[in-house]
Amino acid sequence: MFNDRSTPLSLLSTRRSARPREMVAPGPSDAELRDILMIASRTPDHGKLAPWRFVTVGADRRDRFNEILQDAFRIDRGRPDADDVSAIEQFAHQAPCLVVVLYSPQESAKIPEWEQELSAGAACFNLLAAAHAHGYVGGWITGWAAYSDAVRDHFGEAPERIAGFIYLGSPGVELQERPRPEYDDVVSEWRGT
């Protein structure tokens, strides 16, 4: 069973994202989304800088989001073919709920930018974990749009960057396990040499 909410450890040990294109309604209610985002903001954050922001994209704004993506594609990559147009439209409309997470670096003499980037990544994961704890699935997507200044400029401004598009909803198909690293391949004991 994936995303087993019976205990905190069960949830963490069975956590599984879903493909946004396979998510269906229902997604989080406004109150649930607020709770999810409050939990997401309780992320490790050296210096209490909050170097991240969350921008929600309501269902009523997905057509506009599609227009922005289509225009940005033309700016960044040239004329889209029919498959590109279709893929962009799917990207804009998939899953019931969308949160754009912005990495928002803060001026600090003490906290390096790298630590702020790590905090933004932790905020994305915390958002996913909070959604799963609420009984939903989530998917953290980047792709070309996350690196497009033309897209970013509709949600923030330089030096901010899009850390990810996080889609939330209910699974439309049964979740499948994906390959995980072998314990011994990613864990070692330091011997002080």
Side-chain angles (χ1 to χ4, degrees):
M1 176 178 176
F2 294 105
N3 300 324
D4 177 1
R5 298 184 300 150
S6 60
T7 69
L9 286 177
S10 295
L11 179 62
L12 291 172
S13 65
T14 63
R15 192 205 69 76
R16 178 69 175 103
S17 293
R19 291 183 180 99
R21 68 180 175 269
E22 295 172 347
M23 291 180 199
V24 297
S29 67
D30 289 345
E32 288 171 320
L33 183 57
R34 180 180 175 84
D35 192 47
I36 289 167
L37 295 174
M38 290 296 295
I39 292 168
S41 71
R42 296 181 60 85
T43 197
D45 176 15
H46 186 197
K48 299 179 275 304
L49 300 176
W52 27 259
R53 294 189 306 110
F54 308 115
V55 181
T56 62
V57 180
D60 63 333
R61 303 305 301 156
R62 295 296 190 93
D63 287 341
R64 177 65 183 129
F65 182 46
N66 178 50
E67 292 170 4
I68 288 165
L69 292 172
Q70 299 287 350
D71 291 344
F73 188 95
R74 287 182 194 89
I75 292 167
D76 295 345
R77 300 178 140 209
R79 184 183 177 102
D81 62 25
D83 289 340
D84 294 327
V85 170
S86 178
I88 292 166
E89 186 167 354
Q90 178 183 357
F91 188 89
H93 291 96
Q94 60 194 356
C97 181
L98 171 58
V99 178
V100 179
V101 181
L102 291 169
Y103 163 57
S104 186
Q106 305 297 312
E107 283 288 324
S108 174
K110 294 184 178 181
I111 312 304
E113 189 171 312
W114 170 238
E115 290 186 24
Q116 295 184 50
E117 290 177 22
L118 291 171
S119 183
C124 289
F125 177 76
N126 242 17
L127 197 161
L128 284 176
H132 296 156
H134 275 77
Y136 299 102
V137 291
W140 176 1
I141 304 296
T142 53
W144 71 268
Y147 300 98
S148 169
D149 289 346
V151 174
R152 186 268 329 272
D153 289 348
H154 287 275
F155 297 96
E157 60 186 30
E160 291 179 314
R161 296 194 318 252
I162 295 174
F165 301 95
I166 300 190
Y167 293 89
L168 307 174
S170 297
V173 299
E174 185 176 335
L175 298 176
Q176 301 291 318
E177 186 58 280
R178 67 170 187 80
R180 304 288 178 178
E182 293 295 325
Y183 180 87
D184 290 335
D185 290 343
V186 295
V187 178
S188 61
E189 181 180 346
W190 184 68
R191 303 237 179 233
T193 57

